[in-house]
Amino acid sequence: MNSRYVDWIADNVRCPLGTCREVTFAMQFVFPELRRVRGYYDCVVMGRRPHWWLVDPSGEVVDPTAEQFLGSGRYIELPEDYLEPVGRCQHCGEEHWRVAEMFCSAR
């Protein structure tokens, strides 16, 4: 990994647990050549976790909060337009998706 990235992570990341969204946003502001990625980290020890990380221009993963994971794993990138369910309708049981309309029908 680029030494500038390593130095920034050492100077700016205090507690990596649960801070990946904010930390990757801050790091990308300093290093605009990095692309922010949303997806999952599939950890051998902890299982699949929602996660944000960065990718440098050569395609190498730059994960400023990688220390939060116990063990090795793999990064699974989600498409930018991927919708995630945010809950279920208490009446019909169908999943709600992250869109403006949060009702399953006009009723």
Side-chain angles (χ1 to χ4, degrees), residues 6-25:
V6 172
D7 292 343
W8 188 93
I9 292 167
D11 292 342
N12 293 280
V13 180
R14 298 291 171 247
C15 177
L17 185 61
T19 62
C20 58
R21 184 174 185 271
E22 295 81 15
V23 171
T24 55
F25 184 76

Side-chain angles (χ1 to χ4, degrees), residues 21-57:
R21 184 174 185 271
E22 295 81 15
V23 171
T24 55
F25 184 76
M27 190 170 181
Q28 185 190 42
F29 183 78
V30 176
F31 302 103
E33 71 274 12
L34 297 175
R35 179 176 63 90
R36 283 180 80 230
V37 177
R38 177 176 65 112
Y40 295 98
Y41 184 74
D42 204 1
C43 182
V44 179
V45 176
M46 301 168 66
R48 183 172 286 187
R49 310 290 246 194
H51 192 49
W52 287 88
W53 64 93
L54 300 151
V55 175
D56 73 10

